[in-house]
Amino acid sequence: MIPLLQNFKTVLLADGSFPEHAIPLSFLQKAERIICCDGAAENLLQYGLEPDYIVGDLDSLSDTLKKRFSPTLFHNPDQETNDLTKSVAFCSDRQWNEVTILGASGKREDHTLGNLSLLTDYAEKIKVQLLTDYGVFVPQLESTSYESYPGQQISIFSLTPATVLTTHRLLYPLEKRRLSSWWQGTLNEAEADFFTIEMTEGKLLVFRNY
């Protein structure tokens, strides 16, 4: 069973909207290591913390910070991937295989959608959760049960329309259902202290609010 919040100590901070909610901020404060995606380092410094590493193409990082953090800069100029993906690869290469992503939503909606869609790719290499100011997204690649509470808001997104879903302990059950559009699995609600999503092969994103 996947708890609402997994105690992952490696934090990746993307250059979206900086967290405001106490829960994602607590992950920053308790992190064993913070990896910033390029310009996210500026936001982290304004918050009062310093990055352990800065990863990306470094086009959003000031010359002053490039000089200040030169020993912990990891420049990756590859334009076929975004800075978040580069940072995840950086962690995977070092076997930091449990990662919390913050700051990956807000600002440009196209960036948010891109970051969310990548979670299922990351899940093939590492354990990952993405926290926003409202809740947590996790990728699902096999049938899974989730810690919950009655009334918790749940949304399920299928990235593979051929995937067949069956849910248990949700207010609006799905029975051997394919989701052909992202909206079709949204705005559901938990009825108990856990719920289950059974699936055939494919890729899902599951959102639970705090």
Side-chain angles (χ1 to χ4, degrees), residues 2 15 28 37 46 49 72 83 102 108 115 122 124 134 145 149 158 161 170 174 180 201 203-204 207:
I2 296 181
D15 199 16
L28 271 180
C37 302
Q46 290 178 13
L49 296 175
T72 54
D83 287 336
L102 307 178
R108 284 179 51 174
N115 289 337
Y122 301 158
E124 295 176 355
Y134 302 95
S145 294
Y149 58 84
S158 178
L170 292 182
L174 302 174
S180 60
E201 290 184 352
K203 299 179 177 182
L204 305 179
F207 175 82

Side-chain angles (χ1 to χ4, degrees), residues 25-204:
L25 287 175
S26 72
F27 275 81
L28 271 180
Q29 294 157 4
K30 298 175 182 178
E32 291 182 359
R33 62 186 67 87
I34 301 175
I35 295 93
C36 283
C37 302
D38 207 338
E42 304 264 7
N43 297 327
L44 184 66
L45 289 166
Q46 290 178 13
Y47 180 68
L49 296 175
E50 291 195 359
D52 294 290
Y53 304 95
I54 303 173
V55 179
D57 57 18
L58 306 183
D59 62 347
S60 301
L61 197 66
S62 69
D63 290 339
T64 299
L65 291 187
K66 287 178 183 178
K67 183 177 180 180
R68 176 178 171 183
F69 292 102
S70 58
T72 54
L73 291 182
F74 288 82
H75 180 227
N76 185 336
D78 184 4
Q79 295 301 306
E80 296 299 318
T81 60
N82 66 9
D83 287 336
L84 183 60
T85 299
K86 294 168 187 174
S87 298
V88 168
F90 175 84
C91 291
S92 178
D93 289 345
R94 287 154 182 79
Q95 297 187 358
W96 300 333
N97 292 325
E98 296 182 339
V99 174
T100 296
I101 297 174
L102 307 178
S105 60
K107 294 185 178 179
R108 284 179 51 174
E109 289 84 358
D110 55 342
H111 286 183
T112 298
L113 286 172
N115 289 337
L116 290 172
S117 70
L118 284 164
L119 289 180
T120 56
D121 292 342
Y122 301 158
E124 295 176 355
K125 295 183 177 180
I126 65 171
K127 294 181 179 180
V128 62
Q129 60 185 355
L130 189 155
L131 275 59
T132 73
D133 281 333
Y134 302 95
V136 54
F137 284 92
V138 294
Q140 179 176 324
L141 304 180
E142 61 185 7
S143 298
T144 304
S145 294
Y146 294 89
E147 178 186 30
S148 188
Y149 58 84
Q152 184 179 36
Q153 300 299 294
I154 309 296
S155 288
I156 304 167
F157 302 91
S158 178
L159 278 65
T160 46
T163 299
V164 179
L165 308 179
T166 296
T167 63
H168 303 278
R169 299 194 173 194
L170 292 182
L171 181 61
Y172 307 109
L174 302 174
E175 180 67 29
K176 295 183 179 179
R177 176 80 179 272
R178 292 181 174 89
L179 303 180
S180 60
S181 184
W182 275 29
W183 67 268
Q184 292 177 341
T186 61
L187 307 179
N188 215 321
E189 186 174 309
E191 293 188 308
D193 58 359
F194 76 94
F195 65 91
T196 300
I197 304 173
E198 297 178 358
M199 63 182 292
T200 58
E201 290 184 352
K203 299 179 177 182
L204 305 179

